[in-house]
Amino acid sequence: MNQVQQYIHDIVHDKVSDIINLVDGNGASIGRLVPLTVKHLDDDGIIGKLTDWRNANMSFFLTHFTATIERTRNWLANVVFRNPTQLMFLIYSSDQLIGHFGFKDLTDHDVLLDNAMRGERGGHPKLLQVAGRALIDWLFEKTDVETVYGYVLTTNAAAIMLNRAMGFGLWEKYPLNKSVNNGEARWDMGEKGEGSNDNLYCYRVEVVRSGS
């Protein structure tokens, strides 16, 4: 592992702590981003919320299945926590868990912002936007990436507004095509400019490091 990957590994395994404070436009504290780590595997309350939120928002994901607490726990333990290019953060408003945000596929050049979710009401109305922008700034501070990118369904108006507010640009359109395996549906991305057999599309969006 390189230095950044080692840092992510150490965060996940509770060897270092890196909590991101969230502030509004006036500098007032509105919450914090807390890294999701191996200690949370034993927290049935948090695992339960992640599971419930996933099921409640299934239509906004590119894979459709019914999540269970055990499946969520196994996914964290065997996928997320074993990947030194991926990290998830829990979003808190005071002591209330509101949602999560994260990134994956971190390289020397770019990283995918991923797993954005507001699962609960409450807190500052722009909490998710502030959390996403704070995570982007954290990535530019902690890593050498030049580009933070993401994917947004063209049918998800709320996510489009959120990404514009976080400073994303580009908005390249890609087709999504459905496949089914063992009763679970997923949508795979095609080439830019092609059509979608399922009439479903997504945007690729980017934020580039200032000065690049």
Side-chain angles (χ1 to χ4, degrees):
M1 290 186 288
N2 62 34
Q3 187 174 358
V4 173
Q5 292 175 345
Q6 184 65 54
Y7 186 62
I8 293 171
H9 177 274
D10 289 346
I11 290 175
V12 166
H13 291 85
D14 296 305
K15 295 180 180 179
V16 297
S17 176
D18 198 331
I19 295 173
I20 304 173
N21 292 316
L22 304 177
V23 297
D24 65 12
N26 297 317
S29 176
I30 61 171
R32 65 194 188 280
L33 287 172
V34 178
L36 196 61
T37 73
V38 291
K39 71 183 178 186
H40 293 111
L41 293 174
D42 295 324
D43 192 321
D44 289 342
I46 288 177
I47 300 297
K49 282 186 177 294
L50 298 183
T51 303
D52 291 343
W53 296 343
R54 179 62 164 82
N55 286 330
N57 294 276
M58 188 188 302
S59 62
F60 298 123
F61 288 83
L62 296 183
T63 54
H64 288 187
F65 59 84
T66 300
T68 64
I69 287 179
E70 205 50 46
R71 182 167 183 162
T72 300
R73 183 178 282 114
N74 287 336
W75 170 69
L76 289 173
N78 299 313
V79 178
V80 178
F81 294 158
R82 290 190 178 187
N83 184 353
T85 71
Q86 181 171 7
L87 188 61
M88 286 182 62
F89 290 83
L90 301 171
I91 306 173
Y92 283 90
S93 172
S94 297
D95 292 325
Q96 182 185 6
L97 179 58
I98 296 292
H100 54 72
F101 226 128
F103 64 83
K104 66 179 183 179
D105 298 339
L106 175 67
T107 72
D108 293 336
H109 311 289
D110 57 23
V111 62
L112 171 62
L113 208 66
D114 192 44
N115 276 305
M117 174 76 69
R118 177 186 263 278
E120 306 284 345
R121 296 179 181 273
H124 194 281
K126 293 185 178 180
L127 184 60
L128 201 64
Q129 174 188 328
V130 173
R133 188 65 232 189
L135 184 51
I136 291 170
D137 292 341
W138 185 91
L139 284 161
F140 284 141
E141 176 189 348
K142 300 290 185 178
T143 78
D144 293 328
V145 298
E146 296 296 329
T147 304
V148 178
Y149 65 97
Y151 295 104
V152 186
L153 290 175
T154 60
T155 53
N156 191 344
I160 290 171
M161 292 175 60
L162 172 66
N163 280 268
R164 289 192 186 281
M166 288 192 299
F168 279 99
L170 188 66
W171 300 94
E172 291 183 337
K173 190 176 180 180
Y174 289 82
L176 297 169
N177 295 298
K178 184 179 179 180
S179 62
V180 179
N181 186 28
N182 294 325
E184 295 182 359
R186 63 172 290 163
W187 280 262
D188 299 304
M189 193 177 308
E191 296 296 325
K192 184 174 65 171
E194 292 182 347
S196 166
N197 296 331
D198 303 289
N199 196 31
L200 187 63
Y201 297 84
C202 71
Y203 294 116
R204 177 188 163 102
V205 294
E206 289 185 355
V207 175
V208 179
R209 182 187 291 271
S210 178
S212 298

